Amino acid sequence: MKLLNHTTKYFALLLIVLISIWAVIFYFAMIDEVYDSLDDGLENQKELIIDAVKVNPDLLQDTDFGVNNYTIKRVDYIGQNKFKDSYRDTLMYMQNEDEYEPIRLLEGAFEQDGKSYRIKLITSMVEEDDQIENLFTYLVGLYLALVLSIVVLNNLVLKKVWKPFYSLIDKLKGFRIEKDEPIKQEPTAIDEFNLLNQSVERLTEKSRDSYIAQKQFIENAAHELQTPLAIAINKLELLLEKNELTGHQTEEVGGVLDNLTLLTRLNKSLLLLSKIDNRQYLEEEQVDFNGLIDNVAADFLDFATHKNMQISVVSNAKARYTMNTDLAIIMITNLIKNAILHGEEGKEIAIEIEENKVIIKNYGQDKPLEIDQLFTRFKKVSADSRSTGLGLAISKAIADKYNLQLKYSFAQQHIFTVIFNTKG
């Protein structure tokens, strides 16, 4: 939910509470005014009737409510000063409505020619249920009008005020530290937005500087390591070729050479992981995994034959996915190489290609691997000293980068499955 709509939601809830409270107060205030107006009218009418009786005594004969809205009845002497006017609500049958309707009644007393009379006056009043219904209808209309006004205000006026904020959000959404310049602020008259823009600009600039420095350090360190390693390996190979060493010395030098070769591969693997983590592989295209897997399997044919293995590739569908081609090759290569290295000699490596996944199966140790640590860096699935322990970690890093799922399962065979995101 957008910020403006989120604010509107709370405004709407607040308006419900305020209008409800206001409606109750307004209703009772209005009813009080209505009663006060009716009572004033009845009292004035009473005074007019009493004055009229003094002029025309025949009016004293109106003892029933009829055409007139009053009655006068003679009563025993009660003393006018001891009887106060009283007002009350009651019901009276209305011929036009054919039902009883509420009325306001005034009951008072007066004296005429030494005789006491009681006078009653009535007047119609608004029905409370109708009043409540009308009030509710108008309040709902008022509430909807206010909410609509707030929505219009937010989307026409406040949206313009918040434009610098949403502009910054769009820039942040599109910002890529590996290829973009730091976000530049846009001038605005709002101090808070200026402060936010300045903070974001400083933060992105500092992050990019740190990223570039880290990238250069890793590349330089890897390059500087490769040179002395290559020199050391070459010298040791030359030393072995001269045949001037004893058998024990040859074994020792061979062990050192193996370690240096492992260190070279480890250095390259760490550099590759660093590049993946730093998102340095930007080029992407539709990768044809059917052709890619056929090519990689062909490259490993000699290696598999050396271990008396066969690589079977079954294409049940065309599998395509948008990603960096080099990283796709590295991911599939590592998975197939892992299946051959740790597979059982004389057994088949089965590769199945579906529309949205690639499955690689191999026979090996007759128990499942530790899934929690399988894709952990430097975690080896075998005791092979030539393994860097980074092959599966690199494949997992590539899968995560492109929103792929790399899963492992065991069902008499070790099964690695790469599941493509359907939006890829």
Side-chain angles (χ1 to χ4, degrees), residues 69-338:
N69 289 333
Y70 68 91
T71 63
I72 299 176
K73 291 184 179 180
R74 183 177 176 182
V75 295
D76 295 336
Y77 178 77
I78 55 175
Q80 186 176 351
N81 58 341
K82 294 181 180 179
F83 188 87
K84 295 182 178 180
D85 292 345
S86 63
Y87 300 88
R88 70 176 186 274
D89 296 332
T90 185
L91 296 174
M92 176 175 285
Y93 179 77
M94 298 294 177
Q95 187 173 351
N96 63 324
E97 296 287 344
D98 193 25
E99 63 180 2
Y100 286 89
E101 297 288 346
I103 61 171
R104 187 69 169 169
L105 183 144
L106 166 62
E107 187 174 359
F110 67 93
E111 289 185 350
Q112 176 75 12
D113 298 331
K115 297 177 182 179
S116 298
Y117 297 90
R118 178 164 293 177
I119 181 172
K120 294 182 180 179
L121 298 94
I122 60 171
T123 185
S124 298
M125 61 182 298
V126 179
E127 296 184 39
E128 288 193 25
D129 54 347
D130 291 340
Q131 189 76 2
I132 293 174
E133 182 179 348
N134 292 332
L135 179 62
F136 178 78
T137 301
Y138 286 115
L139 287 177
V140 170
L142 174 63
Y143 173 75
L144 294 178
L146 288 174
V147 171
L148 181 62
S149 299
I150 292 174
V151 172
V152 172
L153 178 67
N154 280 345
N155 288 278
L156 295 182
V157 180
L158 294 184
K159 191 174 183 179
K160 184 177 181 180
V161 175
W162 284 85
K163 185 178 179 181
F165 174 78
Y166 287 112
S167 176
L168 179 61
I169 293 295
D170 290 336
K171 289 182 178 180
L172 286 173
K173 286 168 61 178
F175 178 72
R176 296 293 181 271
I177 193 171
E178 65 273 10
K179 63 179 181 179
D180 289 345
E181 293 295 326
I183 294 177
K184 300 297 182 181
Q185 64 171 315
E186 294 183 0
T188 174
I190 302 175
D191 293 339
E192 288 79 5
F193 288 159
N194 276 326
L195 179 60
L196 178 62
N197 287 334
Q198 292 171 7
S199 300
V200 170
E201 182 179 351
R202 287 197 302 268
L203 180 62
T204 54
E205 186 173 0
K206 183 177 180 181
S207 298
R208 179 162 173 76
D209 290 344
S210 298
Y211 167 79
I212 293 174
Q214 180 185 19
K215 174 185 173 183
Q216 291 176 345
F217 170 78
I218 293 173
E219 292 177 348
N220 292 338
H223 177 73
E224 294 301 325
L225 281 173
Q226 285 295 112
T227 301
L229 285 173
I231 294 173
I233 291 173
N234 289 334
K235 288 186 176 181
L236 289 174
E237 289 176 345
L238 289 174
L239 183 62
L240 289 175
E241 290 176 1
K242 292 180 179 180
N243 295 321
E244 296 178 355
L245 302 176
T246 64
H248 177 70
Q249 290 173 334
T250 301
E251 289 180 2
E252 291 291 334
V253 173
V256 174
L257 190 60
D258 288 341
N259 285 325
L260 289 176
T261 303
L262 175 61
L263 185 58
T264 301
R265 293 200 304 272
L266 182 62
N267 185 52
K268 291 180 178 179
S269 297
L270 288 174
L271 178 60
L272 175 61
L273 269 174
S274 175
K275 288 182 176 180
I276 295 172
D277 291 341
N278 290 333
R279 302 182 180 275
Q280 291 179 232
Y281 290 89
L282 302 179
E283 297 79 11
E284 296 180 1
E285 60 182 349
Q286 276 279 333
V287 177
D288 178 10
F289 275 85
N290 300 76
L292 186 152
I293 290 174
D294 287 339
N295 293 334
V296 174
D299 292 339
F300 278 107
L301 184 60
D302 291 339
F303 185 26
T305 302
H306 177 71
K307 294 192 66 175
N308 194 24
M309 292 180 176
Q310 290 183 345
I311 302 177
S312 170
V313 179
V314 179
S315 297
N316 297 319
K318 287 289 185 181
R320 296 180 180 276
Y321 197 78
T322 302
M323 61 185 299
N324 181 271
T325 302
D326 294 335
L327 292 184
I329 294 173
I330 292 171
M331 179 178 68
I332 295 299
T333 299
N334 283 345
L335 292 175
I336 295 178
K337 181 180 178 182
N338 178 77

